[in-house]
């Protein structure tokens, strides 16, 4: 099968099946071989790897993955794409296709079933309407991961890798950096896709931490504190946490925590590092137990 990274071949197969793009599924197919090569290189795939691809579309990236990996499991929500994938991937015997919604399947059980619970690499040109839930799901459900290389909206990639003090820094930066080290591998313009998205894209590599970077007493408290701090961005951290519905600390407790860590009382969440959030969270966790 000729490479679908060549737009002529993509158009041909789409016409053959009278395929109509579904906006609701975030369908923007890659039509650039250089970008496909960059993704595979950034993911550092070898013949030892089991790759989970989310949203294979017509199989453009999947073909590359099959060439480089030991085994590929591709999960696609749109049933109209399944017969197309059967044709475009017919040359490969190391691929399985699941017609499922990635947010509804139990990824951990799938990995157990298909890869004996061994670590997998996730590689995908993600549907942009559900980028954040997919990323958080992979990490929070403790899927065994050895790498995540995904095409996402450039603006989201910038938020993920942002550090304290930057305008892009927020709950998403902290949540992802708690689990992994982000690195932007490539910026990708709209003309590399069919149809063209309205926004720029980026390939981001998330390397999961082998061990958690900090000891956290209560992870769900840490995440609530982070959400509370960025819920009202212009408020101080004390007011953000105090006003947050899911938390019930007194102002005194919060100020106490900041004082003990020598953090100014008027600080805003956007100025705090992950380590500082962890220390505040560990300090406040004792008020939850008592
Ligand atoms: N990988 C292909 C490529 O690079 O050309 C297609 C990428 S396109 C941006 C996203 C793909 O994800 C589409 O094929 C879409 O149908 C699929 N998709 C959207 N929502 C999904 C979901 N919840 N679960 C699984 N696949 C989904």
């Amino acid at each position: 099968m000729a490479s679908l990274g060549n737009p002529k071949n993509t158009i041909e197969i789409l016409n053959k099946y009278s395929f109509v793009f579904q906006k609701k599924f975030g369908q923007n197919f890659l039509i650039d071989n250089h970008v496909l090569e960059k993704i595979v290189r950034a993911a550092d795939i070898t013949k030892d790897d089991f790759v989970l691809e989310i949203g294979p579309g017509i199989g453009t990236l999947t073909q590359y993955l099959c060439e480089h990996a030991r085994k590929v499991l591709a999960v696609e929500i749109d049933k109209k794409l399944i017969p197309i994938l059967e044709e475009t991937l017919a040359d490969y015997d190391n691929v399985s296709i699941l017609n499922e919604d990635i947010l509804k399947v139990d990824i951990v059980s799938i990995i157990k079933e298909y890869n004996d619970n061994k670590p997998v690499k996730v590689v995908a040109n993600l549907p942009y309407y559900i980028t954040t839930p997919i990323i958080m799901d992979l990490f929070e459900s403790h899927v065994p991961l050895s790498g995540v290389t995904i095409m996402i909206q450039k603006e989201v990639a910038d938020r993920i890798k942002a550090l304290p003090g930057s305008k892009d820094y927020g709950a998403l930066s902290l949540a992802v950096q708690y689990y992994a080290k982000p690195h932007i591998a490539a910026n990708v313009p709209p003309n590399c896709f069919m149809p063209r998205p309205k926004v720029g894209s980026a390939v981001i590599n998330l390397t999961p931490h082998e061990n958690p970077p900090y000891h956290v007493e209560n992870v769900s408290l840490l995440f609530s504190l982070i959400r509370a701090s960025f819920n009202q961005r212009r408020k101080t951290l004390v007011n953000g946490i105090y006003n947050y519905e899911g938390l019930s600390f007194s102002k005194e407790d919060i100020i106490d925590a900041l004082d003990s860590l020598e953090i100014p009382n008027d600080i805003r969440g956007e100025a705090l590092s992950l380590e500082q959030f962890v220390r505040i969270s560990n300090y406040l966790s004792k008020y939850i137990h008592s």
Side-chain angles (χ1 to χ4, degrees):
M1 174 87 209
S3 169
L4 297 161
N6 179 339
K8 193 176 136 281
N9 297 336
T10 286
I11 291 169
E12 206 175 288
I13 195 100
L14 293 175
N15 286 344
K16 179 173 172 188
Y17 286 85
S18 307
F19 181 77
V20 179
F21 287 99
Q22 296 282 330
K23 225 177 163 178
K24 67 172 179 193
F25 290 147
Q27 290 174 338
N28 300 96
F29 298 162
L30 271 166
I31 46 162
D32 187 306
N33 283 318
H34 295 296
V35 175
L36 290 156
E37 280 157 21
K38 264 191 202 163
I39 296 174
V40 172
R41 223 177 305 130
D44 191 22
I45 297 167
T46 72
K47 279 288 167 195
D48 287 334
D49 287 321
F50 180 99
V51 174
L52 170 66
E53 185 190 8
I54 299 162
I58 56 172
T60 314
L61 175 58
T62 327
Q63 292 181 332
Y64 274 77
L65 297 173
C66 290
E67 292 285 345
H68 290 83
R70 170 174 58 85
K71 169 87 190 164
V72 179
L73 173 65
V75 180
E76 172 57 59
I77 197 170
D78 186 352
K79 68 172 186 310
K80 295 228 165 73
L81 287 167
I82 306 303
I84 302 184
L85 286 166
E86 274 159 15
E87 174 170 342
T88 60
L89 301 175
D91 290 348
Y92 302 100
D93 59 5
N94 60 341
V95 61
S96 305
I97 310 286
L98 281 185
N99 181 204
E100 297 279 0
D101 177 343
I102 192 70
L103 293 179
K104 296 207 177 121
V105 288
D106 179 349
I107 306 178
V108 175
S109 331
I110 291 181
I111 301 306
K112 231 181 237 160
E113 184 184 335
Y114 284 85
N115 199 37
D116 206 15
N117 215 22
K118 297 205 184 81
V120 301
K121 283 187 176 162
V122 173
V123 184
N125 169 17
L126 286 183
Y128 294 173
Y129 74 109
I130 43 169
T131 301
T132 308
I134 291 176
I135 296 174
M136 292 320 296
D137 229 42
L138 288 171
F139 288 123
E140 285 172 353
S141 57
H142 301 288
V143 174
L145 296 169
S146 57
V148 176
T149 305
I150 43 180
M151 175 92 71
I152 59 178
Q153 221 175 300
K154 164 93 175 75
E155 180 238 310
V156 180
D158 288 339
R159 285 202 277 131
I160 286 177
K161 75 159 195 357
L163 294 172
S166 129
K167 67 167 178 27
D168 294 325
Y169 188 61
L172 184 64
S173 330
L174 284 154
V176 176
Q177 290 172 30
Y178 173 72
Y179 291 107
K181 187 171 160 38
H183 164 74
I184 295 190
N187 288 318
V188 182
N191 61 6
C192 296
F193 301 85
M194 183 187 296
R196 294 181 183 193
K198 289 201 176 69
V199 292
S201 305
V203 177
I204 194 166
N205 239 324
L206 304 173
T207 309
H209 300 309
E210 273 184 28
N211 298 302
Y214 308 105
H215 168 75
V216 180
E217 296 282 344
N218 182 334
V219 176
S220 90
L221 171 61
L222 171 69
F223 277 63
S224 297
L225 289 171
I226 290 171
R227 268 193 297 274
S229 309
F230 291 95
N231 207 23
Q232 299 166 296
R233 217 182 157 93
R234 307 310 304 161
K235 287 248 164 87
T236 63
L237 183 79
V238 174
N239 284 332
I241 296 175
Y242 179 67
N243 293 328
Y244 192 66
E245 250 185 53
L247 296 168
S248 52
F249 297 109
S250 69
K251 275 203 178 178
E252 290 69 34
D253 290 347
I254 305 164
I255 290 171
D256 213 27
L258 295 186
D259 285 347
S260 81
L261 302 168
E262 296 180 15
I263 295 170
N265 288 180
D266 61 352
I267 200 145
R268 296 208 180 105
E270 62 204 22
L272 285 179
S273 66
L274 175 59
E275 182 180 4
Q276 286 172 309
F277 270 108
V278 169
R279 292 172 69 193
I280 295 170
S281 167
N282 286 351
Y283 188 97
L284 288 174
S285 71
K286 66 184 180 204
Y287 293 112
I288 289 189
H289 294 305
S290 59

